[in-house]
Amino acid sequence: MAEIIQRDGTWTFDGETLRLVPGRDKNVSLLRKSLGELAVPLAALAGIAFEQGKKTGRLRLRLRDGADPLLQAAGGKLGEAEDPYQLSVESDRYGVAEYVVDEVRNALLIEQVPPASCDSYLLPGPSVPLSVSAGDGTASFDGEHIRLEWNWKTEEAKSASGTRMLALADVAAVEWQPAVGLENGYLRFTVRHSPTKAPPKYDPNSVELWGFKKDPLMALVAAAVQVRLPHPAGAPGPAESAEAPAALAAAGAPAPAPAEDDHDALLRRLRELGELHKAGILTDEEFSLAKQAILKRM
C-alpha cells in the first residue's frame, strides 16, 4: 500500500482504489471539504504526475473523460483550489509522492487500463440529499426532484412565480459556470420542451452566481444531477442501470475480481510487457517498474 499524508489531505492507494481524503487545514477549499472522501477506482484513472517546486510540489491525477460526473458537470472550469484531484506536497515528502506515482503507474500498466473515454460514470457523484445557498437562490436535490428557492437578491421577474420544483425526468441537461472577472456565473437546468434564451438573472431554471465563497458548491448540485442523467457517451448513468460499476460502488458492493488474476495471466502479461519493451513502446525504466510490480504479485 502507498500512502502520503499532508496538511492538504491524504492519498492512499491499495492497488485497486485511490482514496482521497481532504485535509483539515484552513487553506483546504470549502468544496473539497464538503465533497469529503473520494474512492477513485483504478479503472477511472488515465494518469498521475508529480510536479516539484522549491517549497512545495503538487500531485495531480488525470481521470478518463466521462468517468467522473463532477468533472463532467464542471467542464474543466474548477479552479485549482477546488480540484479534488490535486494534492499540495511539502518538500520533505517528495520521495513519498514519487513512490505513490510509481505504484499507481505500475498498476495502470499491469491492469492495462485504457486511456480512452468512458461510456458510463465510474464514480457515484456527491451524496444526496444536497442543498446549497449561493448567489440569488438555494438549490436542493433529493435524487428525484430539484427545488429552487429565491432570496431577497433575486430579480422580481424570476421570483414572482415562487419556489421552482423540477422533476429529474423533466431535466435534459445541467450546466455550471463559475463567475469570471466581471461575468457572473450560474447553475442552469435545461428543461425538456421548454427552451429559453433568458440570462440566468431572469431564468427561473437558473441560479445566478457572483463569485462568492459558497458559489463553487453549486458544482456539487450539478454533479449530483449529472450522474443521474444519461451519460454523454450514450450509456445510462448509475441511477438508470443497477449493473453499472459506479452504482455497485455506491451501494457498497465489491467490484468483480479480474478473471485473469492468476499465475498464468501474470506470466502472459510479463511476455506482453517484454514485447512492448522490445518494440520500443516502453522505456527501460517503465519496463523495469512494471516487471517488478508483476513479480511482487506472483
Side-chain angles (χ1 to χ4, degrees), residues 75-130:
K77 298 165 189 170
L78 278 180
E80 190 168 86
E82 282 77 36
D83 189 344
Y85 302 113
Q86 297 190 30
L87 182 71
S88 180
V89 179
E90 297 167 11
S91 58
D92 62 345
R93 290 293 181 271
Y94 282 2
V96 179
E98 290 171 347
Y99 173 70
V100 171
V101 168
D102 288 342
E103 289 295 294
V104 174
R105 285 179 176 172
N106 287 343
L108 288 171
L109 278 172
I110 293 170
E111 298 301 331
Q112 300 179 356
V113 176
S117 301
C118 298
D119 59 7
S120 62
Y121 293 116
L122 301 181
L123 280 86
S127 58
V128 294
L130 181 64

Side-chain angles (χ1 to χ4, degrees), residues 78-251:
L78 278 180
E80 190 168 86
E82 282 77 36
D83 189 344
Y85 302 113
Q86 297 190 30
L87 182 71
S88 180
V89 179
E90 297 167 11
S91 58
D92 62 345
R93 290 293 181 271
Y94 282 2
V96 179
E98 290 171 347
Y99 173 70
V100 171
V101 168
D102 288 342
E103 289 295 294
V104 174
R105 285 179 176 172
N106 287 343
L108 288 171
L109 278 172
I110 293 170
E111 298 301 331
Q112 300 179 356
V113 176
S117 301
C118 298
D119 59 7
S120 62
Y121 293 116
L122 301 181
L123 280 86
S127 58
V128 294
L130 181 64
S131 183
V132 175
S133 297
D136 68 351
T138 297
S140 304
F141 181 54
D142 63 6
E144 296 182 358
H145 296 89
I146 300 158
R147 181 185 179 94
L148 302 178
E149 300 175 85
W150 313 117
N151 57 37
W152 64 272
K153 294 171 282 189
T154 311
E155 284 290 324
E156 186 176 354
K158 184 162 74 171
S159 63
S161 59
T163 298
R164 183 78 163 156
M165 292 292 291
L166 301 173
L168 180 64
D170 295 330
V171 175
V174 58
E175 182 183 6
W176 172 78
Q177 170 71 51
V180 179
L182 299 177
E183 293 291 328
N184 291 339
Y186 55 84
L187 172 68
R188 186 196 298 275
F189 298 97
T190 301
V191 180
R192 300 182 195 280
H193 314 303
S194 183
T196 178
K197 293 184 178 180
K201 186 175 183 178
Y202 303 106
D203 181 5
N205 298 320
S206 300
V207 176
E208 187 178 31
L209 305 173
W210 300 309
F212 296 143
K213 183 178 180 181
K214 290 188 177 180
D215 282 11
L217 296 182
M218 284 293 183
L220 300 183
V221 178
V225 173
Q226 181 73 57
V227 76
R228 290 167 172 80
L229 298 177
H231 193 278
E240 298 176 292
S241 173
E243 297 179 359
L248 292 174

